[in-house]
mmCIF file of all heavy atoms in Angstrom:
data_model
loop_
_atom_site.group_PDB
_atom_site.id
_atom_site.type_symbol
_atom_site.label_atom_id
_atom_site.label_comp_id
_atom_site.label_asym_id
_atom_site.label_seq_id
_atom_site.Cartn_x
_atom_site.Cartn_y
_atom_site.Cartn_z
ATOM 1 N N GLU A 1295 -22.428 -3.908 -21.161
ATOM 2 C CA GLU A 1295 -22.961 -3.066 -22.236
ATOM 3 C C GLU A 1295 -23.789 -1.976 -21.580
ATOM 4 O O GLU A 1295 -24.454 -2.203 -20.570
ATOM 5 C CB GLU A 1295 -23.873 -3.846 -23.194
ATOM 6 C CG GLU A 1295 -23.199 -4.981 -23.916
ATOM 7 C CD GLU A 1295 -23.264 -6.258 -23.095
ATOM 8 O OE1 GLU A 1295 -24.283 -6.441 -22.387
ATOM 9 O OE2 GLU A 1295 -22.293 -7.031 -23.125
ATOM 10 N N VAL A 1296 -23.782 -0.818 -22.226
ATOM 11 C CA VAL A 1296 -24.492 0.334 -21.647
ATOM 12 C C VAL A 1296 -25.982 0.013 -21.503
ATOM 13 O O VAL A 1296 -26.602 -0.523 -22.430
ATOM 14 C CB VAL A 1296 -24.317 1.580 -22.551
ATOM 15 C CG1 VAL A 1296 -25.031 2.780 -21.936
ATOM 16 C CG2 VAL A 1296 -22.856 1.880 -22.763
ATOM 17 N N ASN A 1297 -26.525 0.329 -20.363
ATOM 18 C CA ASN A 1297 -27.947 0.140 -20.122
ATOM 19 C C ASN A 1297 -28.737 1.134 -20.980
ATOM 20 O O ASN A 1297 -28.684 2.349 -20.759
ATOM 21 C CB ASN A 1297 -28.222 0.370 -18.631
ATOM 22 C CG ASN A 1297 -29.687 0.194 -18.287
ATOM 23 O OD1 ASN A 1297 -30.567 0.737 -18.961
ATOM 24 N ND2 ASN A 1297 -29.946 -0.553 -17.245
ATOM 25 N N GLU A 1298 -29.476 0.562 -21.938
ATOM 26 C CA GLU A 1298 -30.116 1.441 -22.928
ATOM 27 C C GLU A 1298 -31.294 2.212 -22.363
ATOM 28 O O GLU A 1298 -31.607 3.310 -22.830
ATOM 29 C CB GLU A 1298 -30.536 0.616 -24.148
ATOM 30 C CG GLU A 1298 -29.335 0.299 -25.025
ATOM 31 C CD GLU A 1298 -29.547 -0.914 -25.911
ATOM 32 O OE1 GLU A 1298 -30.711 -1.348 -26.063
ATOM 33 O OE2 GLU A 1298 -28.533 -1.434 -26.435
ATOM 34 N N ALA A 1299 -31.947 1.626 -21.362
ATOM 35 C CA ALA A 1299 -33.093 2.342 -20.780
ATOM 36 C C ALA A 1299 -32.625 3.590 -20.028
ATOM 37 O O ALA A 1299 -33.226 4.663 -20.129
ATOM 38 C CB ALA A 1299 -33.841 1.412 -19.837
ATOM 39 N N LYS A 1300 -31.510 3.443 -19.304
ATOM 40 C CA LYS A 1300 -31.018 4.565 -18.501
ATOM 41 C C LYS A 1300 -30.278 5.605 -19.344
ATOM 42 O O LYS A 1300 -30.430 6.804 -19.152
ATOM 43 C CB LYS A 1300 -30.016 4.018 -17.481
ATOM 44 C CG LYS A 1300 -30.470 4.020 -16.054
ATOM 45 C CD LYS A 1300 -29.321 3.486 -15.191
ATOM 46 C CE LYS A 1300 -29.813 3.103 -13.824
ATOM 47 N NZ LYS A 1300 -28.823 2.374 -13.054
ATOM 48 N N LEU A 1301 -29.435 5.097 -20.224
ATOM 49 C CA LEU A 1301 -28.554 5.997 -20.973
ATOM 50 C C LEU A 1301 -28.677 5.719 -22.477
ATOM 51 O O LEU A 1301 -27.765 5.187 -23.112
ATOM 52 C CB LEU A 1301 -27.095 5.801 -20.524
ATOM 53 C CG LEU A 1301 -26.821 5.987 -19.020
ATOM 54 C CD1 LEU A 1301 -25.402 5.569 -18.666
ATOM 55 C CD2 LEU A 1301 -27.060 7.444 -18.603
ATOM 56 N N PRO A 1302 -29.867 6.063 -23.052
ATOM 57 C CA PRO A 1302 -30.098 5.703 -24.473
ATOM 58 C C PRO A 1302 -29.075 6.314 -25.424
ATOM 59 O O PRO A 1302 -28.775 5.726 -26.461
ATOM 60 C CB PRO A 1302 -31.505 6.237 -24.743
ATOM 61 C CG PRO A 1302 -31.838 7.155 -23.610
ATOM 62 C CD PRO A 1302 -31.003 6.734 -22.442
ATOM 63 N N ALA A 1303 -28.512 7.446 -25.067
ATOM 64 C CA ALA A 1303 -27.537 8.078 -25.981
ATOM 65 C C ALA A 1303 -26.112 7.613 -25.680
ATOM 66 O O ALA A 1303 -25.149 8.121 -26.259
ATOM 67 C CB ALA A 1303 -27.643 9.591 -25.890
ATOM 68 N N GLY A 1304 -25.988 6.670 -24.769
ATOM 69 C CA GLY A 1304 -24.667 6.065 -24.533
ATOM 70 C C GLY A 1304 -23.789 6.874 -23.594
ATOM 71 O O GLY A 1304 -24.157 7.944 -23.102
ATOM 72 N N ILE A 1305 -22.608 6.323 -23.362
ATOM 73 C CA ILE A 1305 -21.642 6.944 -22.451
ATOM 74 C C ILE A 1305 -20.997 8.161 -23.099
ATOM 75 O O ILE A 1305 -20.735 9.174 -22.454
ATOM 76 C CB ILE A 1305 -20.561 5.905 -22.048
ATOM 77 C CG1 ILE A 1305 -21.180 4.796 -21.177
ATOM 78 C CG2 ILE A 1305 -19.373 6.566 -21.336
ATOM 79 C CD1 ILE A 1305 -21.741 5.246 -19.846
ATOM 80 N N ASP A 1306 -20.778 8.057 -24.411
ATOM 81 C CA ASP A 1306 -20.091 9.164 -25.086
ATOM 82 C C ASP A 1306 -20.862 10.476 -24.935
ATOM 83 O O ASP A 1306 -20.269 11.548 -24.806
ATOM 84 C CB ASP A 1306 -19.866 8.821 -26.562
ATOM 85 C CG ASP A 1306 -18.999 9.867 -27.237
ATOM 86 O OD1 ASP A 1306 -17.890 10.138 -26.697
ATOM 87 O OD2 ASP A 1306 -19.422 10.456 -28.243
ATOM 88 N N ASP A 1307 -22.180 10.354 -24.934
ATOM 89 C CA ASP A 1307 -23.032 11.540 -24.772
ATOM 90 C C ASP A 1307 -22.673 12.280 -23.464
ATOM 91 O O ASP A 1307 -22.499 13.502 -23.452
ATOM 92 C CB ASP A 1307 -24.491 11.050 -24.753
ATOM 93 C CG ASP A 1307 -25.463 12.133 -24.353
ATOM 94 O OD1 ASP A 1307 -25.402 13.211 -24.967
ATOM 95 O OD2 ASP A 1307 -26.267 11.900 -23.417
ATOM 96 N N ILE A 1308 -22.489 11.503 -22.382
ATOM 97 C CA ILE A 1308 -22.189 12.136 -21.083
ATOM 98 C C ILE A 1308 -20.722 12.565 -21.025
ATOM 99 O O ILE A 1308 -20.393 13.649 -20.544
ATOM 100 C CB ILE A 1308 -22.485 11.164 -19.921
ATOM 101 C CG1 ILE A 1308 -23.908 10.644 -20.036
ATOM 102 C CG2 ILE A 1308 -22.293 11.843 -18.574
ATOM 103 C CD1 ILE A 1308 -24.188 9.481 -19.122
ATOM 104 N N ALA A 1309 -19.860 11.683 -21.542
ATOM 105 C CA ALA A 1309 -18.422 11.985 -21.482
ATOM 106 C C ALA A 1309 -18.117 13.246 -22.291
ATOM 107 O O ALA A 1309 -17.373 14.129 -21.841
ATOM 108 C CB ALA A 1309 -17.624 10.793 -22.000
ATOM 109 N N ALA A 1310 -18.731 13.333 -23.474
ATOM 110 C CA ALA A 1310 -18.487 14.511 -24.324
ATOM 111 C C ALA A 1310 -19.044 15.760 -23.642
ATOM 112 O O ALA A 1310 -18.453 16.843 -23.704
ATOM 113 C CB ALA A 1310 -19.130 14.311 -25.697
ATOM 114 N N TYR A 1311 -20.185 15.585 -22.957
ATOM 115 C CA TYR A 1311 -20.764 16.721 -22.236
ATOM 116 C C TYR A 1311 -19.794 17.208 -21.154
ATOM 117 O O TYR A 1311 -19.553 18.411 -21.003
ATOM 118 C CB TYR A 1311 -22.116 16.316 -21.621
ATOM 119 C CG TYR A 1311 -22.830 17.476 -20.974
ATOM 120 C CD1 TYR A 1311 -23.525 18.406 -21.749
ATOM 121 C CD2 TYR A 1311 -22.788 17.656 -19.593
ATOM 122 C CE1 TYR A 1311 -24.161 19.493 -21.166
ATOM 123 C CE2 TYR A 1311 -23.425 18.739 -19.001
ATOM 124 C CZ TYR A 1311 -24.107 19.658 -19.786
ATOM 125 O OH TYR A 1311 -24.731 20.738 -19.204
ATOM 126 N N ALA A 1312 -19.231 16.232 -20.418
ATOM 127 C CA ALA A 1312 -18.281 16.601 -19.357
ATOM 128 C C ALA A 1312 -17.119 17.392 -19.962
ATOM 129 O O ALA A 1312 -16.730 18.458 -19.444
ATOM 130 C CB ALA A 1312 -17.764 15.350 -18.649
ATOM 131 N N VAL A 1313 -16.600 16.882 -21.067
ATOM 132 C CA VAL A 1313 -15.444 17.541 -21.686
ATOM 133 C C VAL A 1313 -15.837 18.938 -22.179
ATOM 134 O O VAL A 1313 -15.073 19.902 -22.033
ATOM 135 C CB VAL A 1313 -14.862 16.634 -22.803
ATOM 136 C CG1 VAL A 1313 -13.854 17.386 -23.645
ATOM 137 C CG2 VAL A 1313 -14.232 15.386 -22.171
ATOM 138 N N SER A 1314 -17.066 19.046 -22.694
ATOM 139 C CA SER A 1314 -17.502 20.372 -23.176
ATOM 140 C C SER A 1314 -17.588 21.375 -22.023
ATOM 141 O O SER A 1314 -17.550 22.579 -22.221
ATOM 142 C CB SER A 1314 -18.855 20.270 -23.893
ATOM 143 O OG SER A 1314 -19.888 20.143 -22.927
ATOM 144 N N LYS A 1315 -17.721 20.864 -20.807
ATOM 145 C CA LYS A 1315 -17.781 21.748 -19.630
ATOM 146 C C LYS A 1315 -16.410 21.912 -18.966
ATOM 147 O O LYS A 1315 -16.304 22.407 -17.841
ATOM 148 C CB LYS A 1315 -18.762 21.187 -18.587
ATOM 149 C CG LYS A 1315 -20.183 21.116 -19.076
ATOM 150 C CD LYS A 1315 -20.782 22.513 -19.132
ATOM 151 C CE LYS A 1315 -22.109 22.505 -19.877
ATOM 152 N NZ LYS A 1315 -22.729 23.812 -19.956
ATOM 153 N N GLY A 1316 -15.400 21.412 -19.633
ATOM 154 C CA GLY A 1316 -14.043 21.577 -19.098
ATOM 155 C C GLY A 1316 -13.635 20.513 -18.097
ATOM 156 O O GLY A 1316 -12.610 20.633 -17.424
#
Side-chain angles (χ1 to χ4, degrees):
E1295 299 88 34
V1296 181
N1297 180 312
E1298 283 158 15
K1300 251 182 196 170
L1301 304 172
I1305 292 297
D1306 188 53
D1307 170 52
I1308 306 168
Y1311 185 79
V1313 169
S1314 77
K1315 297 286 169 180

